[in-house]
Short mmCIF file of all heavy atoms in Angstrom, two decimals:
data_model
loop_
_atom_site.label_atom_id
_atom_site.label_comp_id
_atom_site.label_asym_id
_atom_site.label_seq_id
_atom_site.Cartn_x
_atom_site.Cartn_y
_atom_site.Cartn_z
N MET A 155 75.25 -50.19 53.67
CA MET A 155 74.00 -49.75 54.31
C MET A 155 72.94 -49.59 53.23
O MET A 155 73.19 -49.04 52.15
CB MET A 155 74.21 -48.44 55.05
CG MET A 155 72.98 -47.99 55.84
SD MET A 155 73.25 -46.43 56.72
CE MET A 155 74.44 -46.95 57.95
N SER A 156 71.75 -50.09 53.51
CA SER A 156 70.68 -50.05 52.52
C SER A 156 70.17 -48.64 52.32
O SER A 156 70.43 -47.74 53.13
CB SER A 156 69.53 -50.95 52.97
OG SER A 156 68.92 -50.42 54.14
N SER A 157 69.44 -48.48 51.22
CA SER A 157 68.87 -47.17 50.92
C SER A 157 67.90 -46.73 52.01
O SER A 157 67.86 -45.56 52.39
CB SER A 157 68.18 -47.21 49.56
OG SER A 157 67.53 -45.99 49.29
N LEU A 158 67.11 -47.68 52.53
CA LEU A 158 66.16 -47.36 53.59
C LEU A 158 66.88 -46.91 54.85
O LEU A 158 66.48 -45.93 55.51
CB LEU A 158 65.28 -48.58 53.90
CG LEU A 158 64.28 -48.41 55.05
CD1 LEU A 158 63.32 -47.26 54.76
CD2 LEU A 158 63.52 -49.71 55.29
N ALA A 159 67.97 -47.58 55.19
CA ALA A 159 68.73 -47.19 56.39
C ALA A 159 69.32 -45.80 56.22
O ALA A 159 69.33 -44.99 57.16
CB ALA A 159 69.84 -48.21 56.64
N ASN A 160 69.81 -45.49 55.02
CA ASN A 160 70.34 -44.14 54.76
C ASN A 160 69.26 -43.08 54.93
O ASN A 160 69.51 -42.00 55.48
CB ASN A 160 70.90 -44.06 53.34
CG ASN A 160 72.25 -44.73 53.22
OD1 ASN A 160 73.01 -44.78 54.19
ND2 ASN A 160 72.56 -45.28 52.05
N GLN A 161 68.07 -43.37 54.44
CA GLN A 161 66.96 -42.43 54.58
C GLN A 161 66.59 -42.22 56.03
O GLN A 161 66.29 -41.07 56.45
CB GLN A 161 65.76 -42.93 53.78
CG GLN A 161 65.95 -42.93 52.28
CD GLN A 161 64.76 -43.50 51.54
OE1 GLN A 161 63.70 -43.72 52.13
NE2 GLN A 161 64.94 -43.77 50.25
N LEU A 162 66.61 -43.29 56.82
CA LEU A 162 66.27 -43.17 58.24
C LEU A 162 67.31 -42.34 58.99
O LEU A 162 66.97 -41.50 59.84
CB LEU A 162 66.16 -44.56 58.87
CG LEU A 162 64.97 -45.41 58.41
CD1 LEU A 162 65.05 -46.81 59.01
CD2 LEU A 162 63.65 -44.75 58.80
N VAL A 163 68.59 -42.56 58.67
CA VAL A 163 69.65 -41.78 59.32
C VAL A 163 69.52 -40.31 58.94
O VAL A 163 69.66 -39.42 59.79
CB VAL A 163 71.03 -42.33 58.91
CG1 VAL A 163 72.14 -41.38 59.37
CG2 VAL A 163 71.26 -43.71 59.51
N ARG A 164 69.26 -40.04 57.65
CA ARG A 164 69.12 -38.66 57.20
C ARG A 164 67.92 -37.99 57.86
O ARG A 164 67.99 -36.82 58.29
CB ARG A 164 69.00 -38.61 55.69
CG ARG A 164 68.98 -37.21 55.11
CD ARG A 164 69.25 -37.20 53.61
NE ARG A 164 68.35 -38.08 52.88
CZ ARG A 164 68.71 -39.22 52.30
NH1 ARG A 164 69.97 -39.64 52.40
NH2 ARG A 164 67.83 -39.96 51.65
N ALA A 165 66.82 -38.74 57.98
CA ALA A 165 65.61 -38.19 58.62
C ALA A 165 65.87 -37.88 60.09
O ALA A 165 65.41 -36.84 60.61
CB ALA A 165 64.45 -39.16 58.47
N GLU A 166 66.62 -38.75 60.77
CA GLU A 166 66.93 -38.50 62.18
C GLU A 166 67.77 -37.25 62.34
O GLU A 166 67.52 -36.42 63.23
CB GLU A 166 67.66 -39.70 62.77
CG GLU A 166 68.04 -39.52 64.24
CD GLU A 166 68.79 -40.71 64.81
OE1 GLU A 166 68.99 -41.69 64.08
OE2 GLU A 166 69.18 -40.64 65.99
N LYS A 167 68.78 -37.08 61.48
CA LYS A 167 69.63 -35.89 61.55
C LYS A 167 68.82 -34.62 61.30
O LYS A 167 69.01 -33.61 61.98
CB LYS A 167 70.76 -36.00 60.54
CG LYS A 167 71.81 -37.04 60.89
CD LYS A 167 72.94 -37.05 59.87
CE LYS A 167 74.03 -38.05 60.25
NZ LYS A 167 75.12 -38.08 59.24
N GLU A 168 67.91 -34.67 60.35
CA GLU A 168 67.09 -33.50 60.04
C GLU A 168 66.17 -33.17 61.21
O GLU A 168 65.96 -31.99 61.53
CB GLU A 168 66.28 -33.75 58.77
CG GLU A 168 67.13 -33.80 57.50
CD GLU A 168 66.33 -34.18 56.27
OE1 GLU A 168 65.13 -34.53 56.44
OE2 GLU A 168 66.88 -34.13 55.15
N GLU A 169 65.62 -34.20 61.86
CA GLU A 169 64.74 -33.95 63.01
C GLU A 169 65.52 -33.35 64.18
O GLU A 169 65.03 -32.44 64.85
CB GLU A 169 64.06 -35.26 63.43
CG GLU A 169 62.99 -35.72 62.45
CD GLU A 169 62.31 -36.99 62.90
OE1 GLU A 169 62.77 -37.61 63.88
OE2 GLU A 169 61.29 -37.37 62.27
N ILE A 170 66.71 -33.87 64.43
CA ILE A 170 67.53 -33.33 65.52
C ILE A 170 67.90 -31.88 65.24
O ILE A 170 67.82 -31.01 66.12
CB ILE A 170 68.79 -34.18 65.72
CG1 ILE A 170 68.41 -35.57 66.26
CG2 ILE A 170 69.77 -33.50 66.66
CD1 ILE A 170 69.56 -36.55 66.31
N ALA A 171 68.28 -31.59 64.00
CA ALA A 171 68.64 -30.22 63.64
C ALA A 171 67.45 -29.28 63.80
O ALA A 171 67.60 -28.16 64.32
CB ALA A 171 69.15 -30.18 62.20
N ARG A 172 66.29 -29.71 63.39
CA ARG A 172 65.09 -28.87 63.52
C ARG A 172 64.75 -28.65 64.99
O ARG A 172 64.38 -27.54 65.40
CB ARG A 172 63.91 -29.50 62.78
CG ARG A 172 62.68 -28.60 62.74
CD ARG A 172 61.57 -29.21 61.90
NE ARG A 172 60.46 -28.27 61.77
CZ ARG A 172 60.38 -27.33 60.84
NH1 ARG A 172 61.36 -27.20 59.96
NH2 ARG A 172 59.36 -26.51 60.79
N ALA A 173 64.88 -29.68 65.79
CA ALA A 173 64.59 -29.55 67.22
C ALA A 173 65.58 -28.60 67.90
O ALA A 173 65.18 -27.81 68.77
CB ALA A 173 64.61 -30.92 67.89
N ARG A 175 67.14 -26.01 66.56
CA ARG A 175 66.80 -24.63 66.18
C ARG A 175 65.49 -24.19 66.81
O ARG A 175 65.32 -23.01 67.15
CB ARG A 175 66.76 -24.51 64.66
CG ARG A 175 68.16 -24.52 64.04
CD ARG A 175 68.12 -24.50 62.53
NE ARG A 175 67.71 -25.79 62.00
CZ ARG A 175 66.97 -25.95 60.91
NH1 ARG A 175 66.50 -24.91 60.26
NH2 ARG A 175 66.67 -27.16 60.49
N LEU A 194 58.45 -33.81 68.79
CA LEU A 194 59.74 -33.99 68.14
C LEU A 194 60.88 -33.93 69.16
O LEU A 194 61.80 -34.76 69.13
CB LEU A 194 59.93 -32.93 67.07
CG LEU A 194 61.27 -32.92 66.32
CD1 LEU A 194 61.48 -34.25 65.59
CD2 LEU A 194 61.33 -31.76 65.35
N LYS A 197 60.83 -37.02 71.35
CA LYS A 197 61.30 -38.18 70.59
C LYS A 197 62.83 -38.22 70.49
O LYS A 197 63.45 -39.28 70.58
CB LYS A 197 60.67 -38.15 69.20
CG LYS A 197 61.12 -39.25 68.26
CD LYS A 197 60.45 -39.04 66.90
CE LYS A 197 60.92 -40.06 65.88
NZ LYS A 197 60.32 -39.83 64.53
N ARG A 198 63.46 -37.05 70.33
CA ARG A 198 64.90 -36.98 70.12
C ARG A 198 65.62 -36.39 71.32
O ARG A 198 66.73 -35.85 71.19
CB ARG A 198 65.20 -36.12 68.88
CG ARG A 198 64.56 -36.62 67.59
CD ARG A 198 65.08 -37.99 67.22
NE ARG A 198 64.53 -38.46 65.95
CZ ARG A 198 64.69 -39.69 65.47
NH1 ARG A 198 65.40 -40.58 66.17
NH2 ARG A 198 64.17 -40.03 64.31
N GLU A 448 76.67 -27.62 61.27
CA GLU A 448 76.10 -28.64 60.40
C GLU A 448 75.05 -29.47 61.12
O GLU A 448 73.97 -29.71 60.59
CB GLU A 448 77.21 -29.53 59.87
CG GLU A 448 76.72 -30.65 58.96
CD GLU A 448 77.83 -31.59 58.53
OE1 GLU A 448 78.98 -31.37 58.95
OE2 GLU A 448 77.54 -32.55 57.79
N GLU A 449 75.36 -29.90 62.35
CA GLU A 449 74.43 -30.76 63.08
C GLU A 449 73.16 -30.01 63.47
O GLU A 449 72.11 -30.63 63.65
CB GLU A 449 75.12 -31.33 64.31
CG GLU A 449 76.22 -32.33 63.98
CD GLU A 449 76.86 -32.94 65.21
OE1 GLU A 449 76.36 -32.67 66.34
OE2 GLU A 449 77.85 -33.69 65.06
N ALA A 450 73.24 -28.69 63.60
CA ALA A 450 72.05 -27.91 63.96
C ALA A 450 71.30 -27.39 62.74
O ALA A 450 70.27 -26.74 62.88
CB ALA A 450 72.46 -26.73 64.85
N GLY A 451 71.82 -27.64 61.54
CA GLY A 451 71.13 -27.21 60.34
C GLY A 451 71.39 -25.77 59.96
O GLY A 451 70.62 -25.18 59.19
#
Side-chain angles (χ1 to χ4, degrees):
M155 185 180 292
S156 67
S157 176
L158 177 59
N160 284 330
Q161 292 177 11
L162 291 175
V163 170
R164 186 164 54 250
E166 179 181 359
K167 289 183 178 179
E168 290 175 354
E169 288 181 351
I170 292 172
R172 187 175 186 86
R175 286 176 286 145
L194 177 60
K197 177 182 176 183
R198 302 298 183 188
E448 179 184 0
E449 292 183 6

